[in-house]
Amino acid sequence: MFDRYDAGEQAVLVHIWFVQDKDMEDIQEFESLVSSAGVEALQVVTGTRKAPHPKYFVGEGKAAEIADAVKATGASVVLFDHALTPAQERNLERLCECRVIDRTGLILDIFAQRARTHEGKLQVELAQLRHLATRLVRGWTHLERQKGGIGLRGPGETQLETDRRLLRNRISQILSRLEKVEKQREQGRRARTRADVPTVSLVGYTNAGKSTLFNSLTSAQVYAADQLFATLDPTLRRIDVADVGETVLADTVGFIRHLPHDLVAAFKATLQETRQATLLLHVIDAADLRVKENIEAVELVLEEIDARELPTLLVMNKIDMLEDFVPRIDRNEENIPVRVWLSAQTGAGLPLLYQALTERLCGELAQHTLLLPPQAGRLRSRFYQLQAIEKEWMEEDGSIGLQVRLPVVDWRRLCKQEPGLADYLV
């Protein structure tokens, strides 16, 4: 469909520092992105500018240097650590005689490789099509826009217009499918809300250790690797939290600085799990030198999906990579846990995380004394299942006395399920 050069697996990387932009991506992160995409970096071209050049993004001299590097190394693609306009991509491709991909295109490629579920693949395709829609024009610069001559005159729709129409049709198809997925997820969430099951959602910068922590807490076999965007498809598992009971834990996609907006929009259905969570576990790589910037990047994406105001517990992960660091809980002035220091890899500090989850989720505890008739054995076993019985005794008439202590959430749920429960209160 497009007259573009093929992209290979060997690349020249380009990273430009801008004088006014102090929060520019670290070049190591860009190299990690490239290796996550399975591409070999043959050479890195760096430079400094005050502002992007309208024609090549870099200056004409630097553009010629990139073209020379491509010829010298035999690279088949040039990867920019920046967002390029369609015109800049086209001009650079013409000059370098190879494929040019910007940061957004690179992240989309990684996402396309990682998507496993049908929903994940749809979301990636949607983001790719939205990105492609702005770049359609350059594919047809080598063709006549409208065919002429006897037997070739048609209704007048150019090839470019045909492609745009097909693209719009495909985007609307994907959106309608994702709408169904969103409705299904919404039904599941409503069922959990009715049953008063709290949801804890893991969020954090990519490669902070969310999936490793998820596996440690749930004994799940979710793919976890030391690479950017190892997790793409959300996974939900049930865990048991003391004094809270059954809790749903959700593992989600990692965030990154300047995450493409199309990607955030495409992953709306997935990110709903984050927006509807009872508590967010913000997992942070404590050994990373750019901890502060990573936290800010995550908070920016949370703001974009309207999840900034949700209750959050910070999890400072990878303390095994810090010298002589002991797991601990940091609390605020009201003695509420706000930060837990642990290592998901070694398991150090996981009991402290469970303790913090109990304190943040359980809220108030309900304490009651009940007198159950002999035939209410099933109800008694329910209290045992909930580990709520503090004291038990037998009355002379054969009825059983119970002193119970359990979270208010569990008590309300039990009252709904057992309508006659209030009659046994003493």
Side-chain angles (χ1 to χ4, degrees), residues 200-202 209-224 231 233-239 248-252 281 283 317 344 350 353-354:
V200 176
S201 190
L202 294 172
K210 294 183 297 300
S211 295
T212 306
L213 180 63
F214 184 82
N215 287 341
S216 301
L217 292 172
T218 63
S219 305
Q221 296 300 312
V222 169
Y223 177 68
T231 303
D233 302 307
T235 313
L236 279 72
R237 291 284 185 279
R238 290 181 183 269
I239 58 170
V248 171
L249 186 68
D251 187 19
T252 57
L281 283 191
V283 184
N317 190 23
L350 285 181
L353 178 59
Y354 271 110

Side-chain angles (χ1 to χ4, degrees), residues 119-236:
E119 178 199 348
K121 286 172 183 172
L122 282 176
Q123 287 169 326
V124 172
E125 190 185 347
L126 177 63
Q128 284 176 324
L129 290 176
R130 282 176 169 163
H131 183 62
L132 184 64
T134 60
R135 285 156 166 72
L136 258 185
V137 64
R138 60 115 171 269
W140 294 103
T141 49
H142 67 297
L143 292 178
E144 285 297 322
R145 292 301 171 89
Q146 247 171 327
K147 292 173 179 174
I150 292 172
L152 293 173
R153 294 188 186 96
E157 189 178 61
T158 65
Q159 184 62 62
L160 187 61
E161 285 163 350
T162 306
D163 288 341
R164 281 191 179 137
R165 180 170 51 78
L166 292 171
L167 210 61
R168 279 197 304 271
N169 291 349
R170 181 64 184 149
I171 286 173
S172 62
Q173 274 177 7
I174 293 172
L175 283 171
S176 68
R177 284 196 201 171
L178 286 174
E179 213 173 293
K180 286 178 189 169
V181 171
E182 204 166 328
K183 279 177 186 166
Q184 286 165 355
R185 285 187 180 280
E186 191 56 48
Q187 281 173 343
R189 273 192 295 273
R190 273 204 301 270
R192 291 200 295 272
T193 308
R194 278 199 301 272
D196 286 324
V197 176
T199 304
V200 176
S201 190
L202 294 172
V203 296
Y205 205 74
T206 181
N207 205 26
K210 294 183 297 300
S211 295
T212 306
L213 180 63
F214 184 82
N215 287 341
S216 301
L217 292 172
T218 63
S219 305
Q221 296 300 312
V222 169
Y223 177 68
D226 183 17
Q227 58 184 193
L228 303 184
F229 301 117
T231 303
L232 198 60
D233 302 307
T235 313
L236 279 72

Side-chain angles (χ1 to χ4, degrees), residues 291-364:
V291 172
K292 192 167 172 284
E293 291 95 323
N294 291 355
I295 292 171
E296 284 169 7
V298 171
E299 286 175 350
L300 268 173
V301 180
L302 288 175
E303 207 165 299
E304 200 171 337
I305 61 168
D306 300 325
R308 184 80 173 78
E309 302 305 315
L310 288 175
T312 306
L313 176 65
L314 300 182
V315 178
M316 307 302 287
N317 190 23
K318 303 191 185 181
I319 62 166
D320 52 309
M321 295 169 82
L322 302 170
E323 276 185 45
D324 303 323
F325 210 92
V326 182
R328 68 164 196 261
I329 295 177
D330 293 345
R331 298 171 181 275
N332 62 12
E333 301 79 26
E334 294 158 19
N335 204 34
I336 296 168
V338 289
R339 202 178 287 107
V340 182
W341 298 77
L342 54 78
S343 168
Q345 190 74 48
T346 65
L350 285 181
L352 292 178
L353 178 59
Y354 271 110
Q355 184 188 325
L357 281 174
T358 297
E359 290 184 45
R360 290 295 298 262
L361 289 173
C362 80
E364 298 170 28

Side-chain angles (χ1 to χ4, degrees), residues 2-10 75-78 93 97-101:
F2 296 105
D3 184 28
R4 292 192 66 187
Y5 296 97
D6 292 331
E9 304 300 316
Q10 294 181 312
S76 52
V77 63
V78 175
E93 285 190 358
E97 296 179 0
C98 73
R99 187 78 172 265
V100 175
I101 296 173

Side-chain angles (χ1 to χ4, degrees), residues 5-53:
Y5 296 97
D6 292 331
E9 304 300 316
Q10 294 181 312
V12 168
L13 313 188
V14 182
H15 181 92
I16 305 296
W17 280 277
F18 289 94
V19 178
Q20 82 284 2
D21 193 356
K22 295 190 179 85
D23 187 37
M24 204 58 210
E25 284 79 10
D26 198 350
I27 195 158
Q28 276 83 22
E29 181 178 88
F30 180 46
E31 286 171 346
S32 297
L33 267 176
V34 171
S35 72
S36 293
V39 176
E40 182 191 352
L42 300 177
Q43 190 176 328
V44 182
V45 177
T46 57
T48 310
R49 281 189 69 81
K50 284 185 181 173
H53 189 282

